[in-house]
mmCIF file of all heavy atoms in Angstrom:
data_model
loop_
_atom_site.group_PDB
_atom_site.id
_atom_site.type_symbol
_atom_site.label_atom_id
_atom_site.label_comp_id
_atom_site.label_asym_id
_atom_site.label_seq_id
_atom_site.Cartn_x
_atom_site.Cartn_y
_atom_site.Cartn_z
ATOM 1 N N THR A 75 -3.665 31.750 -3.276
ATOM 2 C CA THR A 75 -2.746 31.844 -2.146
ATOM 3 C C THR A 75 -2.006 30.513 -2.044
ATOM 4 O O THR A 75 -2.366 29.534 -2.708
ATOM 5 C CB THR A 75 -3.487 32.070 -0.813
ATOM 6 O OG1 THR A 75 -4.190 30.870 -0.497
ATOM 7 C CG2 THR A 75 -4.459 33.231 -0.906
ATOM 8 N N ARG A 76 -0.998 30.482 -1.159
ATOM 9 C CA ARG A 76 -0.221 29.245 -1.066
ATOM 10 C C ARG A 76 -1.028 28.074 -0.499
ATOM 11 O O ARG A 76 -0.606 26.932 -0.640
ATOM 12 C CB ARG A 76 1.100 29.450 -0.340
ATOM 13 C CG ARG A 76 1.011 29.993 1.056
ATOM 14 C CD ARG A 76 2.357 29.945 1.755
ATOM 15 N NE ARG A 76 3.384 30.802 1.174
ATOM 16 C CZ ARG A 76 4.702 30.562 1.239
ATOM 17 N NH1 ARG A 76 5.152 29.506 1.867
ATOM 18 N NH2 ARG A 76 5.573 31.385 0.699
ATOM 19 N N ASP A 77 -2.168 28.335 0.116
ATOM 20 C CA ASP A 77 -3.031 27.227 0.578
ATOM 21 C C ASP A 77 -3.663 26.471 -0.585
ATOM 22 O O ASP A 77 -4.135 25.352 -0.417
ATOM 23 C CB ASP A 77 -4.184 27.755 1.448
ATOM 24 C CG ASP A 77 -3.677 28.481 2.668
ATOM 25 O OD1 ASP A 77 -2.523 28.230 3.060
ATOM 26 O OD2 ASP A 77 -4.435 29.299 3.208
ATOM 27 N N HIS A 78 -3.704 27.117 -1.761
ATOM 28 C CA HIS A 78 -4.326 26.482 -2.921
ATOM 29 C C HIS A 78 -3.359 25.621 -3.711
ATOM 30 O O HIS A 78 -3.755 25.012 -4.711
ATOM 31 C CB HIS A 78 -4.885 27.544 -3.883
ATOM 32 C CG HIS A 78 -6.009 28.335 -3.329
ATOM 33 N ND1 HIS A 78 -5.847 29.608 -2.828
ATOM 34 C CD2 HIS A 78 -7.311 28.041 -3.180
ATOM 35 C CE1 HIS A 78 -7.014 30.065 -2.412
ATOM 36 N NE2 HIS A 78 -7.917 29.128 -2.599
ATOM 37 N N CYS A 79 -2.088 25.645 -3.331
ATOM 38 C CA CYS A 79 -1.114 24.900 -4.127
ATOM 39 C C CYS A 79 -0.195 24.131 -3.181
ATOM 40 O O CYS A 79 -0.412 24.124 -1.959
ATOM 41 C CB CYS A 79 -0.314 25.865 -5.004
ATOM 42 S SG CYS A 79 0.573 27.101 -4.080
ATOM 43 N N TYR A 80 0.793 23.474 -3.725
ATOM 44 C CA TYR A 80 1.789 22.807 -2.893
ATOM 45 C C TYR A 80 3.156 23.355 -3.291
ATOM 46 O O TYR A 80 3.441 23.508 -4.485
ATOM 47 C CB TYR A 80 1.735 21.286 -3.085
ATOM 48 C CG TYR A 80 2.514 20.571 -2.020
ATOM 49 C CD1 TYR A 80 1.917 20.205 -0.813
ATOM 50 C CD2 TYR A 80 3.866 20.295 -2.192
ATOM 51 C CE1 TYR A 80 2.651 19.586 0.191
ATOM 52 C CE2 TYR A 80 4.599 19.676 -1.194
ATOM 53 C CZ TYR A 80 3.983 19.330 -0.004
ATOM 54 O OH TYR A 80 4.709 18.725 0.996
ATOM 55 N N ILE A 81 3.972 23.688 -2.311
ATOM 56 C CA ILE A 81 5.296 24.270 -2.575
ATOM 57 C C ILE A 81 6.375 23.352 -2.006
ATOM 58 O O ILE A 81 6.318 22.980 -0.819
ATOM 59 C CB ILE A 81 5.433 25.674 -1.946
ATOM 60 C CG1 ILE A 81 4.275 26.572 -2.380
ATOM 61 C CG2 ILE A 81 6.769 26.292 -2.339
ATOM 62 C CD1 ILE A 81 4.326 27.990 -1.798
ATOM 63 N N ALA A 82 7.339 23.004 -2.861
ATOM 64 C CA ALA A 82 8.437 22.133 -2.425
ATOM 65 C C ALA A 82 9.738 22.613 -3.053
ATOM 66 O O ALA A 82 9.748 23.589 -3.810
ATOM 67 C CB ALA A 82 8.145 20.689 -2.837
ATOM 68 N N ASN A 83 10.807 21.932 -2.745
ATOM 69 C CA ASN A 83 12.117 22.265 -3.285
ATOM 70 C C ASN A 83 12.820 21.023 -3.805
ATOM 71 O O ASN A 83 12.461 19.898 -3.431
ATOM 72 C CB ASN A 83 12.991 22.879 -2.184
ATOM 73 C CG ASN A 83 12.652 24.324 -1.906
ATOM 74 O OD1 ASN A 83 12.689 25.174 -2.788
ATOM 75 N ND2 ASN A 83 12.303 24.612 -0.653
ATOM 76 N N VAL A 84 13.853 21.256 -4.636
ATOM 77 C CA VAL A 84 14.674 20.145 -5.133
ATOM 78 C C VAL A 84 15.409 19.481 -3.975
ATOM 79 O O VAL A 84 15.400 18.258 -3.848
ATOM 80 C CB VAL A 84 15.678 20.660 -6.198
ATOM 81 C CG1 VAL A 84 16.739 19.619 -6.506
ATOM 82 C CG2 VAL A 84 14.933 21.054 -7.464
ATOM 83 N N VAL A 85 16.076 20.268 -3.137
ATOM 84 C CA VAL A 85 16.681 19.691 -1.927
ATOM 85 C C VAL A 85 15.930 20.203 -0.705
ATOM 86 O O VAL A 85 15.498 21.350 -0.648
ATOM 87 C CB VAL A 85 18.211 19.956 -1.790
ATOM 88 C CG1 VAL A 85 18.971 19.256 -2.901
ATOM 89 C CG2 VAL A 85 18.539 21.435 -1.731
ATOM 90 N N LYS A 86 15.752 19.311 0.252
ATOM 91 C CA LYS A 86 14.886 19.605 1.402
ATOM 92 C C LYS A 86 15.652 20.163 2.599
ATOM 93 O O LYS A 86 15.045 20.505 3.609
ATOM 94 C CB LYS A 86 14.149 18.338 1.868
ATOM 95 C CG LYS A 86 13.502 17.516 0.759
ATOM 96 C CD LYS A 86 12.446 18.277 0.001
ATOM 97 C CE LYS A 86 11.659 17.358 -0.923
ATOM 98 N NZ LYS A 86 11.138 18.080 -2.096
ATOM 99 N N CYS A 87 16.980 20.183 2.491
ATOM 100 C CA CYS A 87 17.794 20.716 3.592
ATOM 101 C C CYS A 87 18.643 21.870 3.100
ATOM 102 O O CYS A 87 19.080 21.887 1.945
ATOM 103 C CB CYS A 87 18.693 19.612 4.155
ATOM 104 S SG CYS A 87 17.753 18.240 4.850
ATOM 105 N N ARG A 88 18.889 22.817 3.982
ATOM 106 C CA ARG A 88 19.589 24.038 3.598
ATOM 107 C C ARG A 88 21.068 23.778 3.255
ATOM 108 O O ARG A 88 21.826 23.306 4.112
ATOM 109 C CB ARG A 88 19.541 25.033 4.747
ATOM 110 C CG ARG A 88 20.169 26.339 4.372
ATOM 111 C CD ARG A 88 20.415 27.235 5.556
ATOM 112 N NE ARG A 88 21.011 28.473 5.098
ATOM 113 C CZ ARG A 88 21.720 29.291 5.850
ATOM 114 N NH1 ARG A 88 21.893 29.017 7.120
ATOM 115 N NH2 ARG A 88 22.221 30.388 5.340
ATOM 116 N N PRO A 89 21.480 24.163 2.029
ATOM 117 C CA PRO A 89 22.911 24.111 1.739
ATOM 118 C C PRO A 89 23.623 25.212 2.535
ATOM 119 O O PRO A 89 23.132 26.337 2.611
ATOM 120 C CB PRO A 89 22.988 24.385 0.227
ATOM 121 C CG PRO A 89 21.607 24.099 -0.292
ATOM 122 C CD PRO A 89 20.686 24.490 0.835
ATOM 123 N N PRO A 90 24.777 24.901 3.142
ATOM 124 C CA PRO A 90 25.460 25.902 3.969
ATOM 125 C C PRO A 90 25.820 27.156 3.172
ATOM 126 O O PRO A 90 26.178 27.067 2.003
ATOM 127 C CB PRO A 90 26.729 25.165 4.433
ATOM 128 C CG PRO A 90 26.811 23.910 3.644
ATOM 129 C CD PRO A 90 25.465 23.622 3.071
ATOM 130 N N ASP A 91 25.696 28.302 3.816
ATOM 131 C CA ASP A 91 26.006 29.601 3.190
ATOM 132 C C ASP A 91 25.252 29.821 1.879
ATOM 133 O O ASP A 91 25.736 30.530 0.990
ATOM 134 C CB ASP A 91 27.518 29.746 2.927
ATOM 135 C CG ASP A 91 28.317 29.551 4.204
ATOM 136 O OD1 ASP A 91 27.883 30.076 5.245
ATOM 137 O OD2 ASP A 91 29.350 28.848 4.164
ATOM 138 N N ASN A 92 24.095 29.193 1.763
ATOM 139 C CA ASN A 92 23.271 29.336 0.551
ATOM 140 C C ASN A 92 24.004 28.977 -0.739
ATOM 141 O O ASN A 92 23.693 29.505 -1.807
ATOM 142 C CB ASN A 92 22.694 30.757 0.436
ATOM 143 C CG ASN A 92 21.767 31.063 1.588
ATOM 144 O OD1 ASN A 92 21.144 30.157 2.144
ATOM 145 N ND2 ASN A 92 21.680 32.318 1.953
ATOM 146 N N ARG A 93 24.959 28.055 -0.638
ATOM 147 C CA ARG A 93 25.622 27.601 -1.867
ATOM 148 C C ARG A 93 24.652 26.762 -2.691
ATOM 149 O O ARG A 93 23.606 26.328 -2.197
ATOM 150 C CB ARG A 93 26.891 26.795 -1.525
ATOM 151 C CG ARG A 93 26.627 25.474 -0.844
ATOM 152 C CD ARG A 93 27.804 24.524 -1.043
ATOM 153 N NE ARG A 93 27.733 23.349 -0.208
ATOM 154 C CZ ARG A 93 26.939 22.313 -0.406
ATOM 155 N NH1 ARG A 93 26.078 22.311 -1.414
ATOM 156 N NH2 ARG A 93 26.961 21.275 0.411
ATOM 157 N N ASP A 94 25.033 26.546 -3.971
ATOM 158 C CA ASP A 94 24.214 25.698 -4.832
ATOM 159 C C ASP A 94 24.212 24.264 -4.298
ATOM 160 O O ASP A 94 25.245 23.792 -3.803
ATOM 161 C CB ASP A 94 24.792 25.661 -6.259
ATOM 162 C CG ASP A 94 24.584 26.980 -7.003
ATOM 163 O OD1 ASP A 94 23.803 27.826 -6.524
ATOM 164 O OD2 ASP A 94 25.219 27.143 -8.055
ATOM 165 N N PRO A 95 23.093 23.566 -4.448
ATOM 166 C CA PRO A 95 23.112 22.139 -4.095
ATOM 167 C C PRO A 95 24.029 21.374 -5.055
ATOM 168 O O PRO A 95 24.097 21.690 -6.239
ATOM 169 C CB PRO A 95 21.648 21.704 -4.253
ATOM 170 C CG PRO A 95 20.945 22.781 -4.974
ATOM 171 C CD PRO A 95 21.778 24.029 -4.888
#
Side-chain angles (χ1 to χ4, degrees):
T75 70
R76 58 171 65 208
D77 300 338
H78 294 101
C79 59
Y80 193 88
I81 307 180
N83 282 303
V84 167
V85 295
K86 313 299 190 208
C87 298
R88 184 193 180 202
D91 304 318
N92 297 331
R93 67 157 169 76
D94 288 347

